């Protein structure tokens, strides 16, 4: 199993490739952006669930950079969700695609230069591989169907918080579901 740093970088390359194709305007733009969302949303959720907390634990001085990463995730997610509600023929659609691509390039660069090296340098091989396994498991899902809404990790986390479940910030979506009785 590849380690966490390799998996995150590989997923970054996949999203960058899709966005480059979207910016070129060749393929079905709506389908490309749906695929970006399918890859990106679980990726961001997993980073916020246990990758960023691990980085913060290993390097407290990077706390502000981690907070910035979370804010950037939320900005991109919001732009992406709004974009997916529209149509590629809508005014401003191309500009929003370009804005998403630009924000993600900036975010990926900062993450790969400032945050991922902390994991590479301060975790041993076994720890990186275990985190990589967990990350791969957490990011292989798809977007929930609006009609058949499954609780998001954030919703499960809030329930765990209400129930005062210890260790909730490090739990995967499945672990949270089990802890709050929704598995």
């Amino acid at each position: 199993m590849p380690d966490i740093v390799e998996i995150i970088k590989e997923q970054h390359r996949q999203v960058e490739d899709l966005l480059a194709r979207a910016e070129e305007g060749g393929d079905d733009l709506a389908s490309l952006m749906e695929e970006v969302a399918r890859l990106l949303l679980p990726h961001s959720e997993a980073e916020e669930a246990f990758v960023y907390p691990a980085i913060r634990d290993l390097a407290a001085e990077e706390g502000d950079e981690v907070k910035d990463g979370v804010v950037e995730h939320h900005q991109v997610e919001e732009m992406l969700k709004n974009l997916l509600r529209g149509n590629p023929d809508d005014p401003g659609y191309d500009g929003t695609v370009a804005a998403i691509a630009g924000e993600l390039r900036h975010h990926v660069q900062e993450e790969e230069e400032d945050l991922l090296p902390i994991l590479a340098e301060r975790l041993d091989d076994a720890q990186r591989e275990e985190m990589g396994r967990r990350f791969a498991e957490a990011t292989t899902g798809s977007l929930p169907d609006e009609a058949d809404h499954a609780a998001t990790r954030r919703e499960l986390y809030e329930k765990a918080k209400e129930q005062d479940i210890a260790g909730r910030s490090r739990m995967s979506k499945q672990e949270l579901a089990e802890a709050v009785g929704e598995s």
Side-chain angles (χ1 to χ4, degrees):
M1 168 73 54
D3 77 25
I4 184 65
V5 175
E6 293 169 3
I7 292 172
I8 289 176
K9 286 182 175 183
E10 173 59 30
Q11 289 185 7
H12 286 167
R13 300 298 84 79
Q14 291 172 349
V15 170
E16 287 172 342
D17 178 60
L18 289 168
L19 287 170
R21 289 171 43 203
E23 286 182 300
E24 292 168 4
D27 298 32
D28 177 13
L29 192 52
S31 294
L32 286 171
M33 295 312 293
E34 287 171 7
E35 182 68 7
V36 167
R38 190 190 68 74
L39 292 171
L40 195 62
L41 297 178
H43 176 97
S44 296
E45 191 173 272
E47 284 183 343
E48 291 173 30
F50 57 88
V51 176
Y52 284 0
I55 291 170
R56 204 174 18 251
D57 289 347
L58 293 166
E61 69 276 9
E62 293 297 337
D64 286 342
E65 192 66 41
V66 168
K67 286 179 191 173
D68 288 346
V70 171
V71 168
E72 290 166 358
H73 282 172
H74 293 218
Q75 289 171 337
V76 169
E77 288 168 9
E78 194 60 35
M79 285 190 293
L80 194 51
K81 287 176 184 176
N82 288 334
L83 184 80
L84 293 175
R85 289 186 198 108
N87 182 310
D89 296 328
D90 291 345
Y93 194 95
D94 291 342
T96 303
V97 169
I100 290 169
E103 183 65 30
L104 279 173
R105 277 191 284 274
H106 165 79
H107 173 75
V108 164
Q109 179 181 2
E110 284 185 340
E111 193 171 274
E112 290 185 3
E113 290 177 2
D114 299 333
L115 298 179
L116 295 182
I118 293 165
L119 297 176
E121 295 164 6
R122 299 188 187 179
L123 293 179
D124 64 31
D125 291 348
Q127 290 171 312
R128 285 193 315 275
E129 286 184 16
E130 172 55 25
M131 189 178 279
R133 181 203 58 74
R134 189 172 170 199
F135 193 85
E137 183 179 296
T139 59
T140 56
S142 60
L143 286 175
D145 183 356
E146 293 291 328
D148 183 30
H149 174 71
T152 66
R153 186 195 175 281
R154 281 192 192 100
E155 291 166 340
L156 292 168
Y157 176 84
E158 289 303 318
K159 287 182 182 181
K161 187 175 177 181
E162 290 169 10
Q163 296 175 21
D164 199 32
I165 294 172
R168 64 188 172 267
S169 65
R170 296 192 187 284
M171 291 182 184
S172 69
K173 181 178 176 181
Q174 182 61 39
E175 291 166 332
L176 284 166
E178 291 169 7
V180 299
E182 290 196 15
S183 59

